[in-house]
Amino acid sequence: MIPTRATAGPAEPDPTDTAKAWLRLSVAVLTSTIGGVGMWSVVVALPTIQTDFGVARADASLPYTLAMLGFAGGGVIMGRLADRFGIALPLALGTLALGLGYLAVGQASTLWQVALAHGLLIGVGCSVSFGPLMADMSHWFVRRRGIAVAIAASGNYLAGTIWPPVVQHFIAASGWRATHTGIGLFLLVTMLPLAYLLRRRMPVHHTEVAVQSAALRQAALPYSPATLQVLLCIAGIACCVAMSMPQVHIVAYCGDLGYGVARGADMLSLMLGFGIVSRIVSGFIADRIGGVRTLLLGSVLQGTALFLYLFFDGLTSLYVISALFGLFQGGIVPSYAIIVREYFPPKEAGTRVGLVMLATLLGMALGGWMAGAIFDSTGSYQAAFLNGLGWNLLNMSIMTWLLLRSRRGPAFAPSV
């Protein structure tokens, strides 16, 4: 029999929204910041790898695409493991995969070896530092769940702010192979102890209360849980095809314009630094208006920034627009995790968040490759920006439909 408050003996203190929960969140952010290198190092290394192997831009984008596919599939697998065993086990496994992946890239002699290492090891290992960590943090907060999930997701953007200039520096100083070897060793030394610190799991009776809350929310929905899951996945693909255009290609874009790849790396860092601000602000907003409305707001603003890229390509204007893009879109992806926790049982959180993150990463992988292919076909990124705007419109349409259909139910009250 599952223990309840009535049968399990003396009630434990409520562990949610406590000082220990905030400390756990701090460890999770540090872990995500370190492990998030798996998403960003390949973006910085793209021009160097293209030159070294003498391949087209689309071919050089293949390691990124496979890393995103590995990240997408790994998020579901790691999320399911987290649902069953807690976050510490998948985090330890992910750390080993990351370390081995970077060591393998450091020894690679062909582009395919680089791509496979990113897809099978780096992408899968990196996935646990994002969706599964967000899902785990959502269990430890009720009143401040939106801001907690947003802060947990900010570790990914902290990684994007810190790592690109560091990776660019070491690539320029020591070459991309030695840089990847060094990253692999650093990950193994730092992340395994952090996984041990996150070994505690949420007590069962608190999970049971959240199950009852999610059941009431699902009963009030005008559509089935399966429909909501599918729509969230489609929306995730669409928003991230749009999002990937500047994030994946801004370094190469600056190189093509004659500003140099170092300027592009600085813009990527600036973009993701402002994305951190966006994620935290969006968390506060989500605690007040709910995940769907927050996601729709972010999607509208992301489209606005993409539109500006079409008309301005001066160095100063690109810095400004990149900062705006980060400020506008940073809260989109964490909003999916908040929506999942609003409408699904906590025991499914890791898997369902993993599925949505799979969709978003498929969108990033597809968008990164599409932008490179469009560039190879047209010799310009203008059509790639237009492609991103079209996908962004699809995401906005889905969120608008969900918002209108949800007005008959208690869509935005916080759940436990």
Side-chain angles (χ1 to χ4, degrees):
M1 182 175 66
I2 297 176
T4 65
R5 291 184 185 272
T7 62
E12 299 178 26
D14 187 347
T16 60
D17 295 280
T18 63
K20 288 185 177 180
W22 287 103
L23 179 60
R24 184 183 183 90
L25 177 60
S26 299
V27 175
V29 171
L30 179 59
T31 303
S32 182
T33 301
I34 297 173
V37 64
M39 285 193 68
W40 307 113
S41 62
V42 64
V43 178
V44 179
L46 189 153
T48 306
I49 290 175
Q50 179 183 4
T51 301
D52 197 11
F53 288 114
V55 297
R57 182 68 50 81
D59 293 333
S61 300
L62 186 60
Y64 176 85
T65 299
L66 291 186
M68 292 304 99
L69 291 175
F71 193 109
V76 178
I77 297 170
M78 296 297 186
R80 193 169 185 84
L81 286 174
D83 285 339
R84 291 195 61 186
F85 303 108
I87 193 63
L89 175 61
L91 187 56
L93 294 175
T95 299
L96 293 175
L98 268 173
L100 291 174
Y102 275 99
L103 292 175
V105 171
Q107 301 300 315
S109 58
T110 68
L111 179 61
W112 273 106
Q113 291 174 351
V114 173
L116 289 175
H118 276 86
L120 299 178
L121 293 170
I122 293 176
V124 173
C126 184
S127 68
V128 72
S129 68
F130 192 53
L133 267 181
M134 281 195 293
D136 180 76
M137 287 302 105
S138 73
H139 297 311
W140 295 87
F141 293 86
V142 176
R143 295 183 305 276
R144 296 291 181 264
R145 178 174 294 148
I147 184 62
V149 170
I151 291 173
S154 296
N156 175 260
Y157 272 10
L158 278 169
T161 303
I162 295 170
W163 279 107
V166 173
V167 173
Q168 176 61 34
H169 168 77
F170 282 103
I171 287 177
S174 305
W176 62 270
R177 289 183 174 85
T179 297
H180 283 77
T181 299
I183 292 172
L185 295 174
F186 177 78
L187 293 175
L188 292 172
V189 170
T190 57
M191 288 184 65
L192 288 175
L194 293 173
Y196 179 78
L197 294 177
L198 295 174
R199 65 191 183 280
R200 187 187 176 197
R201 301 187 66 183
M202 174 61 68
V204 172
H205 66 268
H206 291 285
T207 301
E208 289 301 306
V209 173
V211 168
Q212 297 172 10
S213 176
L216 291 175
R217 284 178 164 272
Q218 287 187 2
L221 287 175
Y223 38 78
S224 71
T227 299
L228 177 60
Q229 182 77 60
V230 170
L231 288 173
L232 289 177
C233 288
I234 295 173
I237 291 173
C239 78
C240 288
V241 168
M243 191 183 299
S244 67
M245 172 56 232
Q247 287 188 1
V248 177
H249 289 273
I250 190 66
V251 177
Y253 186 38
C254 286
D256 294 338
L257 291 173
Y259 301 132
V261 296
R263 295 284 192 177
D266 289 341
M267 288 182 197
L268 179 61
S269 180
L270 181 68
M271 182 188 301
L272 300 178
F274 275 88
I276 297 168
V277 177
S278 174
R279 289 194 165 174
I280 294 174
V281 172
S282 295
F284 280 110
I285 294 173
D287 281 333
R288 288 157 178 78
I289 67 174
V292 175
R293 287 178 176 174
T294 304
L295 202 157
L296 177 59
L297 175 62
S299 185
V300 171
L301 293 174
Q302 174 176 265
T304 302
L306 283 171
F307 186 75
L308 293 175
Y309 274 115
L310 289 170
F311 298 99
F312 302 95
D313 62 3
L315 182 60
T316 300
S317 61
L318 283 176
Y319 271 110
V320 173
I321 297 170
S322 295
L324 288 175
F325 185 82
L327 188 62
F328 289 165
Q329 57 78 42
I332 291 178
V333 172
S335 295
Y336 290 108
I338 295 169
I339 294 170
V340 168
R341 285 295 283 114
E342 286 175 342
Y343 293 107
F344 295 103
K347 65 181 180 180
E348 302 174 4
T351 303
R352 288 192 179 275
V353 170
L355 286 170
V356 180
M357 293 303 106
L358 182 151
T360 62
L361 270 297
L362 285 176
M364 293 294 287
L366 176 62
W369 175 83
M370 288 177 70
I374 291 171
F375 174 87
D376 288 339
S377 299
T378 65
S380 168
Y381 278 121
Q382 292 297 300
F385 283 120
L386 287 172
N387 177 66
L389 279 168
W391 285 90
N392 193 74
L393 182 61
L394 174 59
N395 174 264
M396 290 168 53
S397 300
I398 293 173
M399 288 302 112
T400 301
W401 186 85
L402 287 177
L403 178 61
L404 293 175
R405 293 281 290 174
S406 297
R407 284 181 176 175
R408 287 178 287 174
F412 306 115
S415 63
V416 298

